[in-house]
Amino acid sequence: TIDLQWNAQEKSIHVNGQLFPLDDADETIYVVELQNNTKTVQIVPTDNLGKFTFTLLAPGTYDIILSGEQNEIAITGVELRF
């Protein structure tokens, strides 16, 4: 399960997310990539609780790709706006 929340602050948008693994014993750190028009905007790791944050984003449509050791999750067409 993935939880995404975003908020607009002044002239930028911040996205906070958290990946909840199906297995509580899974402590895999994921790399989370944010893309706009197939161009990488930001790359961040999850922390030990599966949390990640993207900051200072412009409005637009983004793809979020979470990559772990054995799998990859893609969330496409995430529209961020004020």
Side-chain angles (χ1 to χ4, degrees), residues 21-56:
L22 295 175
D23 179 2
D24 288 339
D26 184 5
E27 296 184 10
T28 301
I29 300 296
Y30 282 78
V31 174
V32 188
E33 181 179 359
L34 185 70
Q35 294 182 351
N36 182 292
N37 295 325
T38 68
K39 181 178 177 182
T40 299
V41 177
Q42 291 183 34
I43 298 176
V44 297
T46 58
D47 67 10
N48 61 336
L49 297 175
K51 294 182 179 182
F52 60 92
T53 301
F54 295 113
T55 59
L56 303 173

PDB file of all heavy atoms in Angstrom, residues 21-56:
ATOM      1  N   PRO A  21       4.822  -2.058   3.294  1.00  0.00           N
ATOM      2  CA  PRO A  21       5.046  -3.387   2.713  1.00  0.00           C
ATOM      3  C   PRO A  21       3.974  -4.376   3.165  1.00  0.00           C
ATOM      4  O   PRO A  21       3.369  -4.209   4.233  1.00  0.00           O
ATOM      5  CB  PRO A  21       6.420  -3.776   3.244  1.00  0.00           C
ATOM      6  CG  PRO A  21       6.604  -2.972   4.477  1.00  0.00           C
ATOM      7  CD  PRO A  21       5.833  -1.701   4.272  1.00  0.00           C
ATOM      8  N   LEU A  22       3.732  -5.390   2.353  1.00  0.00           N
ATOM      9  CA  LEU A  22       2.765  -6.425   2.701  1.00  0.00           C
ATOM     10  C   LEU A  22       3.273  -7.296   3.843  1.00  0.00           C
ATOM     11  O   LEU A  22       2.507  -7.816   4.629  1.00  0.00           O
ATOM     12  CB  LEU A  22       2.460  -7.297   1.483  1.00  0.00           C
ATOM     13  CG  LEU A  22       1.764  -6.583   0.329  1.00  0.00           C
ATOM     14  CD1 LEU A  22       1.622  -7.526  -0.856  1.00  0.00           C
ATOM     15  CD2 LEU A  22       0.411  -6.064   0.766  1.00  0.00           C
ATOM     16  N   ASP A  23       4.594  -7.432   3.930  1.00  0.00           N
ATOM     17  CA  ASP A  23       5.221  -8.261   4.950  1.00  0.00           C
ATOM     18  C   ASP A  23       5.921  -7.347   5.949  1.00  0.00           C
ATOM     19  O   ASP A  23       6.829  -6.607   5.584  1.00  0.00           O
ATOM     20  CB  ASP A  23       6.222  -9.212   4.275  1.00  0.00           C
ATOM     21  CG  ASP A  23       6.951 -10.103   5.251  1.00  0.00           C
ATOM     22  OD1 ASP A  23       6.675 -10.042   6.465  1.00  0.00           O
ATOM     23  OD2 ASP A  23       7.811 -10.873   4.795  1.00  0.00           O
ATOM     24  N   ASP A  24       5.517  -7.397   7.218  1.00  0.00           N
ATOM     25  CA  ASP A  24       6.120  -6.536   8.244  1.00  0.00           C
ATOM     26  C   ASP A  24       7.614  -6.765   8.401  1.00  0.00           C
ATOM     27  O   ASP A  24       8.335  -5.896   8.877  1.00  0.00           O
ATOM     28  CB  ASP A  24       5.440  -6.749   9.594  1.00  0.00           C
ATOM     29  CG  ASP A  24       4.033  -6.159   9.626  1.00  0.00           C
ATOM     30  OD1 ASP A  24       3.745  -5.272   8.804  1.00  0.00           O
ATOM     31  OD2 ASP A  24       3.234  -6.593  10.479  1.00  0.00           O
ATOM     32  N   ALA A  25       8.102  -7.932   8.009  1.00  0.00           N
ATOM     33  CA  ALA A  25       9.529  -8.230   8.126  1.00  0.00           C
ATOM     34  C   ALA A  25      10.337  -7.610   6.987  1.00  0.00           C
ATOM     35  O   ALA A  25      11.557  -7.574   7.038  1.00  0.00           O
ATOM     36  CB  ALA A  25       9.749  -9.735   8.158  1.00  0.00           C
ATOM     37  N   ASP A  26       9.655  -7.097   5.949  1.00  0.00           N
ATOM     38  CA  ASP A  26      10.348  -6.511   4.791  1.00  0.00           C
ATOM     39  C   ASP A  26      10.871  -5.126   5.156  1.00  0.00           C
ATOM     40  O   ASP A  26      10.105  -4.204   5.351  1.00  0.00           O
ATOM     41  CB  ASP A  26       9.399  -6.418   3.602  1.00  0.00           C
ATOM     42  CG  ASP A  26      10.087  -5.899   2.345  1.00  0.00           C
ATOM     43  OD1 ASP A  26      11.312  -5.700   2.369  1.00  0.00           O
ATOM     44  OD2 ASP A  26       9.381  -5.696   1.339  1.00  0.00           O
ATOM     45  N   GLU A  27      12.188  -5.004   5.249  1.00  0.00           N
ATOM     46  CA  GLU A  27      12.814  -3.725   5.591  1.00  0.00           C
ATOM     47  C   GLU A  27      13.569  -3.149   4.401  1.00  0.00           C
ATOM     48  O   GLU A  27      14.519  -2.385   4.565  1.00  0.00           O
ATOM     49  CB  GLU A  27      13.740  -3.908   6.781  1.00  0.00           C
ATOM     50  CG  GLU A  27      13.004  -4.311   8.049  1.00  0.00           C
ATOM     51  CD  GLU A  27      13.914  -4.406   9.253  1.00  0.00           C
ATOM     52  OE1 GLU A  27      15.085  -3.990   9.170  1.00  0.00           O
ATOM     53  OE2 GLU A  27      13.454  -4.905  10.287  1.00  0.00           O
ATOM     54  N   THR A  28      13.129  -3.477   3.199  1.00  0.00           N
ATOM     55  CA  THR A  28      13.772  -2.999   1.992  1.00  0.00           C
ATOM     56  C   THR A  28      13.671  -1.476   1.901  1.00  0.00           C
ATOM     57  O   THR A  28      12.606  -0.913   2.104  1.00  0.00           O
ATOM     58  CB  THR A  28      13.111  -3.619   0.740  1.00  0.00           C
ATOM     59  OG1 THR A  28      13.225  -5.035   0.827  1.00  0.00           O
ATOM     60  CG2 THR A  28      13.763  -3.121  -0.535  1.00  0.00           C
ATOM     61  N   ILE A  29      14.792  -0.837   1.620  1.00  0.00           N
ATOM     62  CA  ILE A  29      14.800   0.596   1.340  1.00  0.00           C
ATOM     63  C   ILE A  29      14.564   0.748  -0.156  1.00  0.00           C
ATOM     64  O   ILE A  29      15.255   0.136  -0.965  1.00  0.00           O
ATOM     65  CB  ILE A  29      16.140   1.246   1.741  1.00  0.00           C
ATOM     66  CG1 ILE A  29      16.400   1.067   3.241  1.00  0.00           C
ATOM     67  CG2 ILE A  29      16.169   2.712   1.342  1.00  0.00           C
ATOM     68  CD1 ILE A  29      15.411   1.759   4.153  1.00  0.00           C
ATOM     69  N   TYR A  30      13.575   1.542  -0.505  1.00  0.00           N
ATOM     70  CA  TYR A  30      13.253   1.768  -1.909  1.00  0.00           C
ATOM     71  C   TYR A  30      13.847   3.085  -2.380  1.00  0.00           C
ATOM     72  O   TYR A  30      14.011   4.022  -1.589  1.00  0.00           O
ATOM     73  CB  TYR A  30      11.735   1.814  -2.115  1.00  0.00           C
ATOM     74  CG  TYR A  30      11.103   0.451  -2.135  1.00  0.00           C
ATOM     75  CD1 TYR A  30      10.878  -0.248  -0.956  1.00  0.00           C
ATOM     76  CD2 TYR A  30      10.729  -0.140  -3.324  1.00  0.00           C
ATOM     77  CE1 TYR A  30      10.300  -1.504  -0.969  1.00  0.00           C
ATOM     78  CE2 TYR A  30      10.143  -1.397  -3.352  1.00  0.00           C
ATOM     79  CZ  TYR A  30       9.934  -2.070  -2.175  1.00  0.00           C
ATOM     80  OH  TYR A  30       9.373  -3.309  -2.196  1.00  0.00           O
ATOM     81  N   VAL A  31      14.165   3.141  -3.651  1.00  0.00           N
ATOM     82  CA  VAL A  31      14.550   4.389  -4.303  1.00  0.00           C
ATOM     83  C   VAL A  31      13.291   4.884  -5.001  1.00  0.00           C
ATOM     84  O   VAL A  31      12.639   4.143  -5.725  1.00  0.00           O
ATOM     85  CB  VAL A  31      15.691   4.161  -5.315  1.00  0.00           C
ATOM     86  CG1 VAL A  31      15.971   5.433  -6.094  1.00  0.00           C
ATOM     87  CG2 VAL A  31      16.938   3.684  -4.595  1.00  0.00           C
ATOM     88  N   VAL A  32      12.940   6.152  -4.753  1.00  0.00           N
ATOM     89  CA  VAL A  32      11.718   6.717  -5.312  1.00  0.00           C
ATOM     90  C   VAL A  32      12.098   7.803  -6.305  1.00  0.00           C
ATOM     91  O   VAL A  32      12.789   8.766  -5.953  1.00  0.00           O
ATOM     92  CB  VAL A  32      10.813   7.295  -4.201  1.00  0.00           C
ATOM     93  CG1 VAL A  32       9.469   7.704  -4.779  1.00  0.00           C
ATOM     94  CG2 VAL A  32      10.624   6.292  -3.069  1.00  0.00           C
ATOM     95  N   GLU A  33      11.676   7.625  -7.542  1.00  0.00           N
ATOM     96  CA  GLU A  33      12.005   8.559  -8.617  1.00  0.00           C
ATOM     97  C   GLU A  33      10.745   9.288  -9.060  1.00  0.00           C
ATOM     98  O   GLU A  33       9.709   8.673  -9.287  1.00  0.00           O
ATOM     99  CB  GLU A  33      12.602   7.800  -9.791  1.00  0.00           C
ATOM    100  CG  GLU A  33      13.005   8.686 -10.947  1.00  0.00           C
ATOM    101  CD  GLU A  33      13.627   7.900 -12.086  1.00  0.00           C
ATOM    102  OE1 GLU A  33      13.770   6.665 -11.983  1.00  0.00           O
ATOM    103  OE2 GLU A  33      13.958   8.529 -13.098  1.00  0.00           O
ATOM    104  N   LEU A  34      10.846  10.593  -9.172  1.00  0.00           N
ATOM    105  CA  LEU A  34       9.751  11.425  -9.659  1.00  0.00           C
ATOM    106  C   LEU A  34      10.092  11.878 -11.066  1.00  0.00           C
ATOM    107  O   LEU A  34      11.174  12.432 -11.297  1.00  0.00           O
ATOM    108  CB  LEU A  34       9.558  12.634  -8.748  1.00  0.00           C
ATOM    109  CG  LEU A  34       8.380  13.540  -9.066  1.00  0.00           C
ATOM    110  CD1 LEU A  34       7.074  12.831  -8.744  1.00  0.00           C
ATOM    111  CD2 LEU A  34       8.476  14.832  -8.290  1.00  0.00           C
ATOM    112  N   GLN A  35       9.205  11.592 -12.022  1.00  0.00           N
ATOM    113  CA  GLN A  35       9.443  11.956 -13.424  1.00  0.00           C
ATOM    114  C   GLN A  35       8.334  12.868 -13.929  1.00  0.00           C
ATOM    115  O   GLN A  35       7.183  12.738 -13.520  1.00  0.00           O
ATOM    116  CB  GLN A  35       9.483  10.717 -14.311  1.00  0.00           C
ATOM    117  CG  GLN A  35      10.630   9.795 -14.054  1.00  0.00           C
ATOM    118  CD  GLN A  35      10.627   8.611 -15.010  1.00  0.00           C
ATOM    119  OE1 GLN A  35       9.681   8.382 -15.758  1.00  0.00           O
ATOM    120  NE2 GLN A  35      11.697   7.834 -14.971  1.00  0.00           N
ATOM    121  N   ASN A  36       8.722  13.751 -14.844  1.00  0.00           N
ATOM    122  CA  ASN A  36       7.782  14.613 -15.554  1.00  0.00           C
ATOM    123  C   ASN A  36       8.137  14.505 -17.026  1.00  0.00           C
ATOM    124  O   ASN A  36       9.261  14.827 -17.406  1.00  0.00           O
ATOM    125  CB  ASN A  36       7.907  16.051 -15.048  1.00  0.00           C
ATOM    126  CG  ASN A  36       6.944  16.995 -15.695  1.00  0.00           C
ATOM    127  OD1 ASN A  36       7.063  17.279 -16.880  1.00  0.00           O
ATOM    128  ND2 ASN A  36       5.998  17.495 -14.922  1.00  0.00           N
ATOM    129  N   ASN A  37       7.205  14.003 -17.841  1.00  0.00           N
ATOM    130  CA  ASN A  37       7.473  13.779 -19.274  1.00  0.00           C
ATOM    131  C   ASN A  37       8.700  12.893 -19.474  1.00  0.00           C
ATOM    132  O   ASN A  37       9.578  13.199 -20.277  1.00  0.00           O
ATOM    133  CB  ASN A  37       7.638  15.090 -20.021  1.00  0.00           C
ATOM    134  CG  ASN A  37       6.358  15.894 -20.032  1.00  0.00           C
ATOM    135  OD1 ASN A  37       5.271  15.326 -20.095  1.00  0.00           O
ATOM    136  ND2 ASN A  37       6.474  17.202 -19.949  1.00  0.00           N
ATOM    137  N   THR A  38       8.803  11.825 -18.728  1.00  0.00           N
ATOM    138  CA  THR A  38       9.898  10.843 -18.745  1.00  0.00           C
ATOM    139  C   THR A  38      11.254  11.417 -18.338  1.00  0.00           C
ATOM    140  O   THR A  38      12.275  10.747 -18.455  1.00  0.00           O
ATOM    141  CB  THR A  38      10.028  10.123 -20.109  1.00  0.00           C
ATOM    142  OG1 THR A  38      10.463  11.043 -21.108  1.00  0.00           O
ATOM    143  CG2 THR A  38       8.712   9.468 -20.519  1.00  0.00           C
ATOM    144  N   LYS A  39      11.279  12.646 -17.865  1.00  0.00           N
ATOM    145  CA  LYS A  39      12.526  13.262 -17.379  1.00  0.00           C
ATOM    146  C   LYS A  39      12.544  13.192 -15.845  1.00  0.00           C
ATOM    147  O   LYS A  39      11.563  13.543 -15.192  1.00  0.00           O
ATOM    148  CB  LYS A  39      12.605  14.717 -17.833  1.00  0.00           C
ATOM    149  CG  LYS A  39      13.855  15.420 -17.396  1.00  0.00           C
ATOM    150  CD  LYS A  39      13.900  16.842 -17.906  1.00  0.00           C
ATOM    151  CE  LYS A  39      15.148  17.527 -17.384  1.00  0.00           C
ATOM    152  NZ  LYS A  39      15.217  18.923 -17.800  1.00  0.00           N
ATOM    153  N   THR A  40      13.661  12.725 -15.284  1.00  0.00           N
ATOM    154  CA  THR A  40      13.790  12.632 -13.837  1.00  0.00           C
ATOM    155  C   THR A  40      13.835  14.028 -13.223  1.00  0.00           C
ATOM    156  O   THR A  40      14.632  14.868 -13.617  1.00  0.00           O
ATOM    157  CB  THR A  40      15.057  11.855 -13.448  1.00  0.00           C
ATOM    158  OG1 THR A  40      14.959  10.534 -13.987  1.00  0.00           O
ATOM    159  CG2 THR A  40      15.225  11.782 -11.949  1.00  0.00           C
ATOM    160  N   VAL A  41      12.959  14.245 -12.242  1.00  0.00           N
ATOM    161  CA  VAL A  41      12.886  15.529 -11.540  1.00  0.00           C
ATOM    162  C   VAL A  41      13.626  15.431 -10.203  1.00  0.00           C
ATOM    163  O   VAL A  41      14.419  16.303  -9.865  1.00  0.00           O
ATOM    164  CB  VAL A  41      11.413  15.938 -11.317  1.00  0.00           C
ATOM    165  CG1 VAL A  41      11.314  17.229 -10.522  1.00  0.00           C
ATOM    166  CG2 VAL A  41      10.687  16.071 -12.650  1.00  0.00           C
ATOM    167  N   GLN A  42      13.343  14.381  -9.442  1.00  0.00           N
ATOM    168  CA  GLN A  42      14.004  14.155  -8.159  1.00  0.00           C
ATOM    169  C   GLN A  42      14.090  12.652  -7.907  1.00  0.00           C
ATOM    170  O   GLN A  42      13.244  11.885  -8.368  1.00  0.00           O
ATOM    171  CB  GLN A  42      13.228  14.798  -7.004  1.00  0.00           C
ATOM    172  CG  GLN A  42      13.239  16.308  -6.998  1.00  0.00           C
ATOM    173  CD  GLN A  42      12.511  16.888  -5.792  1.00  0.00           C
ATOM    174  OE1 GLN A  42      12.523  16.324  -4.696  1.00  0.00           O
ATOM    175  NE2 GLN A  42      11.876  18.031  -5.995  1.00  0.00           N
ATOM    176  N   ILE A  43      15.112  12.246  -7.147  1.00  0.00           N
ATOM    177  CA  ILE A  43      15.263  10.866  -6.687  1.00  0.00           C
ATOM    178  C   ILE A  43      15.562  10.918  -5.196  1.00  0.00           C
ATOM    179  O   ILE A  43      16.479  11.644  -4.778  1.00  0.00           O
ATOM    180  CB  ILE A  43      16.404  10.134  -7.419  1.00  0.00           C
ATOM    181  CG1 ILE A  43      16.116  10.044  -8.914  1.00  0.00           C
ATOM    182  CG2 ILE A  43      16.606   8.743  -6.832  1.00  0.00           C
ATOM    183  CD1 ILE A  43      17.240   9.422  -9.717  1.00  0.00           C
ATOM    184  N   VAL A  44      14.789  10.164  -4.401  1.00  0.00           N
ATOM    185  CA  VAL A  44      15.003  10.120  -2.954  1.00  0.00           C
ATOM    186  C   VAL A  44      14.849   8.682  -2.465  1.00  0.00           C
ATOM    187  O   VAL A  44      14.127   7.902  -3.074  1.00  0.00           O
ATOM    188  CB  VAL A  44      14.008  11.042  -2.197  1.00  0.00           C
ATOM    189  CG1 VAL A  44      14.199  12.497  -2.587  1.00  0.00           C
ATOM    190  CG2 VAL A  44      12.569  10.620  -2.427  1.00  0.00           C
ATOM    191  N   PRO A  45      15.508   8.333  -1.360  1.00  0.00           N
ATOM    192  CA  PRO A  45      15.288   7.011  -0.774  1.00  0.00           C
ATOM    193  C   PRO A  45      14.146   7.063   0.237  1.00  0.00           C
ATOM    194  O   PRO A  45      13.835   8.121   0.788  1.00  0.00           O
ATOM    195  CB  PRO A  45      16.612   6.733  -0.064  1.00  0.00           C
ATOM    196  CG  PRO A  45      17.065   8.100   0.369  1.00  0.00           C
ATOM    197  CD  PRO A  45      16.612   9.038  -0.732  1.00  0.00           C
ATOM    198  N   THR A  46      13.532   5.895   0.490  1.00  0.00           N
ATOM    199  CA  THR A  46      12.607   5.826   1.617  1.00  0.00           C
ATOM    200  C   THR A  46      13.436   5.716   2.888  1.00  0.00           C
ATOM    201  O   THR A  46      14.593   5.274   2.855  1.00  0.00           O
ATOM    202  CB  THR A  46      11.680   4.601   1.512  1.00  0.00           C
ATOM    203  OG1 THR A  46      12.466   3.406   1.451  1.00  0.00           O
ATOM    204  CG2 THR A  46      10.771   4.699   0.294  1.00  0.00           C
ATOM    205  N   ASP A  47      12.840   6.115   4.011  1.00  0.00           N
ATOM    206  CA  ASP A  47      13.524   5.902   5.282  1.00  0.00           C
ATOM    207  C   ASP A  47      13.144   4.521   5.812  1.00  0.00           C
ATOM    208  O   ASP A  47      12.474   3.743   5.129  1.00  0.00           O
ATOM    209  CB  ASP A  47      13.224   7.029   6.268  1.00  0.00           C
ATOM    210  CG  ASP A  47      11.770   7.076   6.733  1.00  0.00           C
ATOM    211  OD1 ASP A  47      10.997   6.124   6.447  1.00  0.00           O
ATOM    212  OD2 ASP A  47      11.397   8.064   7.386  1.00  0.00           O
ATOM    213  N   ASN A  48      13.537   4.206   7.034  1.00  0.00           N
ATOM    214  CA  ASN A  48      13.272   2.869   7.569  1.00  0.00           C
ATOM    215  C   ASN A  48      11.788   2.610   7.841  1.00  0.00           C
ATOM    216  O   ASN A  48      11.394   1.476   8.077  1.00  0.00           O
ATOM    217  CB  ASN A  48      14.109   2.612   8.825  1.00  0.00           C
ATOM    218  CG  ASN A  48      13.788   3.599   9.937  1.00  0.00           C
ATOM    219  OD1 ASN A  48      13.312   4.710   9.694  1.00  0.00           O
ATOM    220  ND2 ASN A  48      14.066   3.217  11.158  1.00  0.00           N
ATOM    221  N   LEU A  49      10.952   3.662   7.782  1.00  0.00           N
ATOM    222  CA  LEU A  49       9.507   3.506   7.927  1.00  0.00           C
ATOM    223  C   LEU A  49       8.789   3.554   6.579  1.00  0.00           C
ATOM    224  O   LEU A  49       7.565   3.566   6.512  1.00  0.00           O
ATOM    225  CB  LEU A  49       8.937   4.589   8.850  1.00  0.00           C
ATOM    226  CG  LEU A  49       9.448   4.569  10.293  1.00  0.00           C
ATOM    227  CD1 LEU A  49       8.898   5.752  11.069  1.00  0.00           C
ATOM    228  CD2 LEU A  49       9.072   3.258  10.974  1.00  0.00           C
ATOM    229  N   GLY A  50       9.560   3.635   5.489  1.00  0.00           N
ATOM    230  CA  GLY A  50       8.971   3.681   4.152  1.00  0.00           C
ATOM    231  C   GLY A  50       8.552   5.066   3.704  1.00  0.00           C
ATOM    232  O   GLY A  50       7.912   5.226   2.677  1.00  0.00           O
ATOM    233  N   LYS A  51       8.921   6.105   4.451  1.00  0.00           N
ATOM    234  CA  LYS A  51       8.508   7.472   4.129  1.00  0.00           C
ATOM    235  C   LYS A  51       9.477   8.134   3.148  1.00  0.00           C
ATOM    236  O   LYS A  51      10.682   7.859   3.165  1.00  0.00           O
ATOM    237  CB  LYS A  51       8.429   8.322   5.391  1.00  0.00           C
ATOM    238  CG  LYS A  51       7.356   7.877   6.337  1.00  0.00           C
ATOM    239  CD  LYS A  51       7.301   8.781   7.553  1.00  0.00           C
ATOM    240  CE  LYS A  51       6.196   8.341   8.506  1.00  0.00           C
ATOM    241  NZ  LYS A  51       6.111   9.240   9.666  1.00  0.00           N
ATOM    242  N   PHE A  52       8.911   9.025   2.308  1.00  0.00           N
ATOM    243  CA  PHE A  52       9.727   9.807   1.378  1.00  0.00           C
ATOM    244  C   PHE A  52       9.051  11.149   1.134  1.00  0.00           C
ATOM    245  O   PHE A  52       7.849  11.308   1.358  1.00  0.00           O
ATOM    246  CB  PHE A  52       9.951   9.054   0.064  1.00  0.00           C
ATOM    247  CG  PHE A  52       8.676   8.715  -0.671  1.00  0.00           C
ATOM    248  CD1 PHE A  52       8.152   9.575  -1.627  1.00  0.00           C
ATOM    249  CD2 PHE A  52       8.000   7.531  -0.409  1.00  0.00           C
ATOM    250  CE1 PHE A  52       6.979   9.261  -2.306  1.00  0.00           C
ATOM    251  CE2 PHE A  52       6.836   7.198  -1.084  1.00  0.00           C
ATOM    252  CZ  PHE A  52       6.325   8.070  -2.039  1.00  0.00           C
ATOM    253  N   THR A  53       9.837  12.133   0.683  1.00  0.00           N
ATOM    254  CA  THR A  53       9.327  13.482   0.441  1.00  0.00           C
ATOM    255  C   THR A  53       9.963  14.071  -0.802  1.00  0.00           C
ATOM    256  O   THR A  53      11.172  13.948  -1.002  1.00  0.00           O
ATOM    257  CB  THR A  53       9.637  14.411   1.646  1.00  0.00           C
ATOM    258  OG1 THR A  53       9.033  13.854   2.815  1.00  0.00           O
ATOM    259  CG2 THR A  53       9.110  15.812   1.428  1.00  0.00           C
ATOM    260  N   PHE A  54       9.125  14.701  -1.622  1.00  0.00           N
ATOM    261  CA  PHE A  54       9.594  15.521  -2.741  1.00  0.00           C
ATOM    262  C   PHE A  54       9.204  16.955  -2.439  1.00  0.00           C
ATOM    263  O   PHE A  54       8.076  17.215  -2.011  1.00  0.00           O
ATOM    264  CB  PHE A  54       8.943  15.087  -4.060  1.00  0.00           C
ATOM    265  CG  PHE A  54       9.307  13.706  -4.508  1.00  0.00           C
ATOM    266  CD1 PHE A  54       8.360  12.702  -4.549  1.00  0.00           C
ATOM    267  CD2 PHE A  54      10.600  13.410  -4.900  1.00  0.00           C
ATOM    268  CE1 PHE A  54       8.685  11.430  -4.980  1.00  0.00           C
ATOM    269  CE2 PHE A  54      10.941  12.135  -5.325  1.00  0.00           C
ATOM    270  CZ  PHE A  54       9.983  11.145  -5.363  1.00  0.00           C
ATOM    271  N   THR A  55      10.128  17.892  -2.666  1.00  0.00           N
ATOM    272  CA  THR A  55       9.857  19.289  -2.335  1.00  0.00           C
ATOM    273  C   THR A  55      10.066  20.202  -3.541  1.00  0.00           C
ATOM    274  O   THR A  55      10.716  19.831  -4.515  1.00  0.00           O
ATOM    275  CB  THR A  55      10.763  19.765  -1.189  1.00  0.00           C
ATOM    276  OG1 THR A  55      12.133  19.621  -1.597  1.00  0.00           O
ATOM    277  CG2 THR A  55      10.521  18.978   0.086  1.00  0.00           C
ATOM    278  N   LEU A  56       9.515  21.396  -3.431  1.00  0.00           N
ATOM    279  CA  LEU A  56       9.703  22.480  -4.409  1.00  0.00           C
ATOM    280  C   LEU A  56       9.309  22.061  -5.818  1.00  0.00           C
ATOM    281  O   LEU A  56      10.044  22.273  -6.775  1.00  0.00           O
ATOM    282  CB  LEU A  56      11.142  22.991  -4.369  1.00  0.00           C
ATOM    283  CG  LEU A  56      11.623  23.492  -3.008  1.00  0.00           C
ATOM    284  CD1 LEU A  56      13.102  23.816  -3.057  1.00  0.00           C
ATOM    285  CD2 LEU A  56      10.813  24.688  -2.552  1.00  0.00           C
TER     286      LEU A  56
END
